[in-house]
Amino acid sequence: MNQHVTPIEIDIDLSEELQAAVAAGDAVQLDSLLERLSLSEALRELLNLTVEERGSVLTLVSPEMAANLIEEAPHEVAADLMEGLETERAVEIMDELDSDVQADLIGDMEHEEAEAILSQMDAEEAADVRRLSEYEDDTAGGLMMSEVFACADTMTVSDVIKVLAKDDDDVDRYRGQHPYIIDGTGRLVGVVSLRGLLATKRAALLTTIMVEPKTVLANATLSDLGDIFDKFDFLGVPVVGDDGKVLGVVSRDAVSQALLERAESENLKLQGVVGDELRSMPTWLRSRRRLAWLSANIVLNMIAASVISAYEETLLAVIAIAVFLPMVSDMSGCSGNQAVGVTMRELSLGLVRPKDAFKVWLKEISVGVINGIALGILIGIVAWIWKGSPALGLVIGAALALNTMLAVSIGGVVPLLLKRIGQDPAVASGPLLTTVTDMAGFFFVLSLATLLMPWLV
Amino acid sequence: MNQHVTPIEIDIDLSEELQAAVAAGDAVQLDSLLERLSLSEALRELLNLTVEERGSVLTLVSPEMAANLIEEAPHEVAADLMEGLETERAVEIMDELDSDVQADLIGDMEHEEAEAILSQMDAEEAADVRRLSEYEDDTAGGLMMSEVFACADTMTVSDVIKVLAKDDDDVDRYRGQHPYIIDGTGRLVGVVSLRGLLATKRAALLTTIMVEPKTVLANATLSDLGDIFDKFDFLGVPVVGDDGKVLGVVSRDAVSQALLERAESENLKLQGVVGDELRSMPTWLRSRRRLAWLSANIVLNMIAASVISAYEETLLAVIAIAVFLPMVSDMSGCSGNQAVGVTMRELSLGLVRPKDAFKVWLKEISVGVINGIALGILIGIVAWIWKGSPALGLVIGAALALNTMLAVSIGGVVPLLLKRIGQDPAVASGPLLTTVTDMAGFFFVLSLATLLMPWLV
């Protein structure tokens, strides 16, 4: 009988059993309950508990299960969970994790808690973690692990096979790396394929079957790494210093994970959420972070609204315009956001560079002219029929057409300009776009109306 | 000397050399130019060419390079590129791809072109592709490949090692799968670890060292698969039918790739771009797709604007309100979008289910009350000072506070409800949210103003 691992258990609700097991301090029951769930379900149940209960669960279950849950959690949540534990327990959990995950966790934790954990860890491991956590996130240095399947250049095929056949954690931690051959001075000189190992006599020296390794420097970016793993079938790529010595290995998995996290965090930022929000975080923290972004936005909104304020007389003369002001600004905002979306995607696929701004603008304006005219005619006819004034239709239609062209231009190009000046396009593109399209939308409608006033009243 | 693969070549512009090589039909030069680039850079250069030139490049370069470019391209673009080729060439490129990629391509192509290619492919391979392309995307069936490292239950360790050591494409295509043991009736009965192979005598039967395999059914979802690969360290998981026969294997890589594509496509949809838009696509197609979404939005916008129309007298009496109408609706829209963003993320992490709607609402409304009051006070004071009317400040502030609470409630819960009724939350949440918050925002401001009219004029 095969063991289907999915659907594991659909929609079971274990919260009550979990709470009961936590209250009873029943470690065996907790482990068996959580084993029935997938990791994301188990994490969901964990985060539904109170902060104290979360600590109890992570203290009671097996260190493996606790480590799996910590690894499944988004970074900031994982650091919070670790900070809530006794140092001794936190160290037990750390021992189950790969060094790249250890370094991320330590980097995300408060200094004091991090130091407490490091001081109780194995000295060599702690030194590795300190070293890894100094590299920037989303670079080869920040993504690499220190566990390297390093073999001396004096080893034979038989020696390596003995290492591989050993049943210990170290080999698992190599995550499918091939054996890297290191010379007497610590420099990486070659790599051996599994096929090479199997097809060669056991007494042969590794150096006789090794090939030249592909390597990266510690400052290689996440996008570089994504490109490399797209191009080559490796499970890992070694990171070397300028002196040719191995610093660590970046696994394919770490890169996939980081790319997914980046896409999800950009998603959040485009929606105006800066930071790693989950609803299991404290209300005041969620509220404060969202407010920070909203308050900046309210100022931008006021600047845009001041345009309306300058034209109050025009509005008083033709009050029907007030009905269409939000429509024109909203619709152009939508058109502009489409352009932002496409640019953000092409950026993440590596299909545009900041210096392609003009090319992007040409592509956007051609769509903007078509859509601007189409939407302008549509809304113009609506305004004409609704309010019985062809001149009003003309004003609203022309304003939307112009503002659509402006909006797609800004939406397409602004993320590239922000990137060029080192700003995060996901955070700032939306607010910038909305402010300009609001201002311009109000201005187009109201100044055209002022111009055509004789035909409007 | 190690071969650093990054930075490969930064910011070189090969477009002119590429165009020259295409014009000259210089295959060797083309291959060597593209080899200097990463795949995403090469794809960017390819898509910068005209449609005819793209076809020439894919026809001239090596089938491996062409296959790599096709695989790097987003699905819809890849299908377009294939459709532009001679059938014979398309078949050569297909031969370089794994069966899961073949099936995706065939599924995305026009029926006629797809059939032409299938009819010229190896009959067995074509049958596999037809079978695979019948499964739904983003299920185990849709993601699996038919290349299975299947070993008869009569084989020995030595037999398997011989297969692994063979230098042919088949073994590469297994993508690191472990050997799966199949009995005489085609049922999957076990799996053997690399360590098992290396630590056992070569004459031993595989059945003596195999362990029970974890398997999935063909309808397992992408999220299920993501959970499985998070929980277990496998490089692949076999997909079996109800009868226990192996249908294919889903690789860890295919799942990572599909998760990333899903996140990126949700990003686009939240920004109002439905479909796989890249700027290298024809203008009329990009324009038509964006317009479809915008036109639906314009209708929703009109419904919202009709609220303003109903209150024209109030507006005429206190024209300053017109300045704040767009601000109130915009700001609440922003608050609601933040809630949409967090729900979408928790959905993709598997941390909420549609049935958690009430729990989510409780978490949202607590943030909504705090932020609504904070923003309400802020904008109220602004309105008071700007227009010199405390009553106006009260109207605008109260309206924004109420509408913020409404917006976060809708933004947090609507994606869950859409998911429950089988709609795509990424496409529909934004427009629904904006319409309701616009309507309600206008209504709160204008009805409060009508109520407090004596103090406003």
Side-chain angles (χ1 to χ4, degrees), chain A residues 37 279 309 346 371 387, chain B residues 231 279 287 309 346 387:
Chain A
L37 301 171
R279 292 208 177 84
S309 200
E346 294 198 331
N371 289 8
K387 300 292 173 183
Chain B
K231 194 160 183 172
R279 292 206 177 85
S287 164
S309 199
E346 294 197 331
K387 300 292 172 183

Side-chain angles (χ1 to χ4, degrees), chain A residues 46 50-60 81 84-85 89:
Chain A
L46 179 71
T50 64
V51 172
E52 289 71 32
E53 287 170 331
R54 293 176 201 168
S56 306
V57 171
L58 292 175
T59 306
L60 287 166
L81 290 171
L85 299 174
R89 177 61 177 177

Side-chain angles (χ1 to χ4, degrees), chain A residues 5 37 40 72 167 215 230-231 272 276 279 287 290 309 330 338 343 345-346 364 371 387 438, chain B residues 5 37 72 195 215 230-231 272 276 279 287 290 309 312 330 338 343 345-346 364 371 387 438:
Chain A
V5 282
L37 301 171
S40 68
E72 176 76 6
D167 185 19
T215 58
D230 277 348
K231 194 161 184 173
D276 214 11
R279 292 208 177 84
S287 163
R290 292 199 197 174
S309 200
D330 272 15
Q338 291 180 323
T343 295
R345 176 162 190 238
E346 294 198 331
E364 273 308 319
N371 289 8
K387 300 292 173 183
D438 279 4
Chain B
V5 282
L37 302 171
E72 176 76 6
R195 187 173 296 156
T215 60
D230 276 348
K231 194 160 183 172
D276 214 10
R279 292 206 177 85
S287 164
R290 292 199 198 174
S309 199
E312 281 184 11
D330 272 14
Q338 292 180 323
T343 295
R345 177 162 189 236
E346 294 197 331
E364 272 308 320
N371 289 7
K387 300 292 172 183
D438 279 4

Side-chain angles (χ1 to χ4, degrees), chain A residues 118-140:
Chain A
L118 285 169
S119 69
Q120 289 196 29
M121 280 172 68
D122 171 82
E124 198 180 330
E125 228 177 280
D128 272 343
V129 170
R130 280 181 207 276
R131 181 171 65 84
L132 293 183
S133 60
E134 271 167 27
Y135 291 99
E136 285 206 51
D137 288 347
D138 286 359
T139 64

Side-chain angles (χ1 to χ4, degrees), chain B residues 159-180:
Chain B
D159 295 333
V160 177
I161 287 183
K162 267 182 215 143
V163 175
L164 280 172
K166 250 197 316 187
D167 185 18
D168 72 18
D169 271 3
D170 284 355
V171 176
D172 288 339
R173 293 236 169 137
Y174 297 149
R175 303 266 171 265
Q177 292 173 32
H178 289 174
Y180 298 114

